[in-house]
Amino acid sequence: NAGVTQTPKFQVLKTGQSMTLQCAQDMNHEYMSWYRQDPGMGLRLIHYSVGAGITDQGEVPNGYNVSRSTTEDFPLRLLSAAPSQTSVYFCASSISGLGSYEQYFGPGTRLTVT
Amino acid sequence: QQQVKQSPQSLIVQKGGISIINCAYENTAFDYFPWYQQFPGKGPALLIAIRPDVSEKKEGRFTISFNKSAKQFSLHIMDSQPGDSATYFCAASMKRGNTPLVFGKGTRLSVIA
């Protein structure tokens, strides 16, 4: 199993550009989440999904869209990038539930918005 | 509202020493308390977890101590090694109702020789 994979690993965007961060898992996990990590702020939940076709907002959803058309994929879209979205983004999945203590994280995407 | 408070924000420990990271929570409905370890450039990974009906759990050099009445739990790393240098996150889990995992803000541990 590859586990949770994320692409790209690094990305630089100009303000106003849009892009999609890809996340895929091959463990047949129903539950998937997107987090952003900023210095001193810990991991903050952006959006999550409890299954294909079902998504909901987390703590910091503004400026981001998600969709979940398959169990495997959970892409995160930045609609119009802003410097405040400069961060490291992590995708996570779980078989046991959104609140399961055992979450599997991807390697992250480091995004810089200039 | 921060549901899990973690301290210290950063920690420097001599090789062979004991690293201690503390967390406190408010919601008594939490039913599992995991710790995640994150190395630079990597995603967090589950290190160890404890249920609230257990006061201590040990896995190798890593021990979680849990104080239910004080609503506090801590991670102890015995005989700390430079390879333990990482960011550590405590978290609280509530499986009922699909409530997302709640993370502390993290502690950056540096173990120096």
Side-chain angles (χ1 to χ4, degrees):
Chain A
N1 285 354
V4 180
T5 57
Q6 292 183 238
T7 56
K9 199 164 179 59
F10 300 96
Q11 183 70 48
V12 179
L13 289 179
K14 291 188 181 338
T15 297
Q17 287 184 318
S18 62
M19 79 158 295
T20 300
L21 278 62
Q22 301 291 345
C23 172
Q25 52 89 11
D26 61 358
M27 299 174 283
N28 202 32
H29 287 177
E30 289 293 326
Y31 304 92
M32 297 187 74
S33 309
W34 275 103
Y35 292 85
R36 59 177 289 174
Q37 182 177 18
D38 303 290
M41 302 295 290
L43 294 160
R44 293 185 292 170
L45 183 64
I46 304 172
H47 284 285
Y48 61 90
S49 170
V50 299
I54 307 170
T55 64
D56 206 345
Q57 297 180 352
E59 181 186 355
V60 288
N62 291 343
Y64 308 96
N65 270 359
V66 291
S67 60
R68 184 100 179 270
S69 55
T70 67
T71 298
E72 294 77 22
D73 300 297
F74 190 40
L76 178 72
R77 295 184 189 86
L78 279 70
L79 310 172
S80 177
S84 61
Q85 293 179 305
T86 293
S87 187
V88 182
Y89 291 84
F90 290 101
C91 178
S93 74
S94 171
I95 194 169
S96 307
L98 195 65
S100 167
Y101 72 91
E102 190 166 18
Q103 302 283 327
Y104 292 83
F105 284 83
T109 294
R110 183 174 292 275
L111 175 68
T112 302
V113 183
T114 61
Chain B
Q1 181 183 358
Q2 188 185 354
Q3 296 190 56
V4 177
K5 293 187 179 180
Q6 183 172 348
S7 62
Q9 197 168 11
S10 63
L11 182 62
I12 299 174
V13 173
Q14 293 276 353
K15 179 183 174 183
I18 302 173
S19 304
I20 302 174
I21 304 170
N22 300 300
C23 284
Y25 65 98
E26 289 294 326
N27 192 341
T28 55
F30 289 132
D31 52 21
Y32 240 105
F33 298 87
W35 285 88
Y36 280 76
Q37 180 186 52
Q38 182 185 29
F39 292 109
K42 306 290 185 185
L46 178 65
L47 178 65
I48 186 173
I50 195 169
R51 295 194 323 258
D53 57 347
V54 176
S55 61
E56 185 176 279
K57 183 172 181 180
K58 188 174 183 179
E59 288 185 5
R61 295 183 294 107
F62 298 89
T63 300
I64 302 179
S65 297
F66 189 84
N67 186 330
K68 190 172 183 177
S69 60
K71 291 190 282 187
Q72 295 175 348
F73 58 109
S74 59
L75 177 69
H76 292 63
I77 306 174
M78 312 300 287
D79 187 27
S80 298
Q81 298 296 314
D84 297 329
S85 298
T87 298
Y88 292 82
F89 293 96
C90 64
S93 164
M94 191 187 317
K95 208 169 178 183
R96 293 191 308 275
N98 263 331
T99 303
L101 202 60
V102 178
F103 286 94
K105 292 194 173 184
T107 296
R108 178 174 285 186
L109 171 66
S110 297
V111 181
I112 56 175

